[in-house]
Amino acid sequence: MYLYGREEPEEGSADSYTSRPSESDVSLEEDREAVRREAQRQAQAQLEKAKTKLVAFAVRTNVGYSAALDNDVPVPGMAISFEAKDFLHVKEKFSNDWWIGRLVKEGCEIGFIPSPVKLENMRLQSDQKTKQGKYHSSKSGGNSSSSIGDVVPTSRRSTPPSSALDLDASGLDAEDIDPQANQRTPITSVNSVTSPQSKEKRMPFFKKTEHVPPYDVVPSMRPVVLVGPSLKGYEVTDMMQKALFDFLKHRFEGRISITRVTADISLAKRSVLNNPSKHAIIERSNTRSSLAEVQCEIERIFELARTLQLVVLDADTINHPAQLGKTSLAPVIVYVKISSPKVLQRLIKSRGKSQAKHLNVQMVAADKLAQCPPELFDVILDENQLEDACEHLSDYLEAYWRATHPPSSNPPNPLLSRTMASAALPSSPAPVSNLQVQVLASLQPNLHFWHIEDNGENQVICDNHISLEMETFNYLPASG
């Protein structure tokens, strides 16, 4: 009789040994699992302890990283995803491959951040896979279409991202590219990784591409820098900015440091400070600041930012966002904007002949700012009234404060009392007068009028039969 089925192997036969693992194999697998669980438990405990630790330093990312596609995280599900140009607060080093920190964004908690070593290894693996893919596709024939070409048909020069890492394929510094090309837009890929928009600027034929590091070290709190409506050193711009400085000083009292910077910090480009051969060229040029002074100011700004207080710079030499684009400061650029050139022109003329004779240079500077794409600025204050402009700026800084100070980690900062009490720090700008506040409050971009004070009496100036009595603000005490 024949049985249609598989006979059970006899005990001791060869099949019986291959069909089930040995006791030693089972024991080894259990030991590995126990070690893995213990490592995860220790990593989770270290993660919890790091919540109350101070921020060691901050970085701005030059690459994108997707934690969902990385299986090598110390605690599964606790890695932090980010895109290029995001900011990270790093608390401590966990291992050679991982840091502990958080994404500077409201609602984001602490987690594991891939270290530069890990990201570099991932980049090398991605390059190797790309080369292998090109080799196999070339052998299969020119008419056969590759899977990469099907997925990213619009990017001829870029290479596909790796499993978790997204690198800028152009190899150019982000500040060397047209600012409009820096906007992040999702690109469908094999791994669903978002990447910066491909660079539109064509690379020079003989330019040697340099590898961009995954992170740039930046201040722990991005310094706030005001530009506009025209050039600093002239009354209209100085008065409008000082009105905002004084508002911030009172609104964020105890949480803010406003300091004046006289050195030309636009010279603090990473390419210059990191290249000693360029130091002599800068020193020989006709600049108002030496590199030693600039370096000292940069270090002072970093030290102020370590307190995690808001840092506002009254920078004498900064009148355009491009001046700080290649520095390591990563500032919050606030554009104080007068939409109507006619209004700005009349305001300048109202300040007397000493200011009117420099009308052209101020109008040219204002026009250059107006031509900048909005993406170059973090905040654009184009409101007609001082209170509205102040509230706009205040709302932005309050949101930034919440992003940098999560509720789960509020340790006392010993650096705060030491740094804020330092006598070496320049004082914040002096209080401004009612007249200075009125200049900002009276801006009306859509109406051809302005309000000035003449010998203590209000003037009403009519244009196109439009007459409006402006209110005199008593928001700030008048200076002597």
Side-chain angles (χ1 to χ4, degrees), residues 322-343:
Q323 290 180 272
L324 299 178
K326 295 185 180 181
T327 68
S328 59
L329 293 179
V332 174
I333 301 293
V334 179
Y335 178 19
V336 184
K337 183 178 182 180
I338 297 180
S339 301
S340 171
K342 291 184 179 180
V343 173

Side-chain angles (χ1 to χ4, degrees), residues 140-145:
S140 62
N143 294 330
S144 61
S145 60

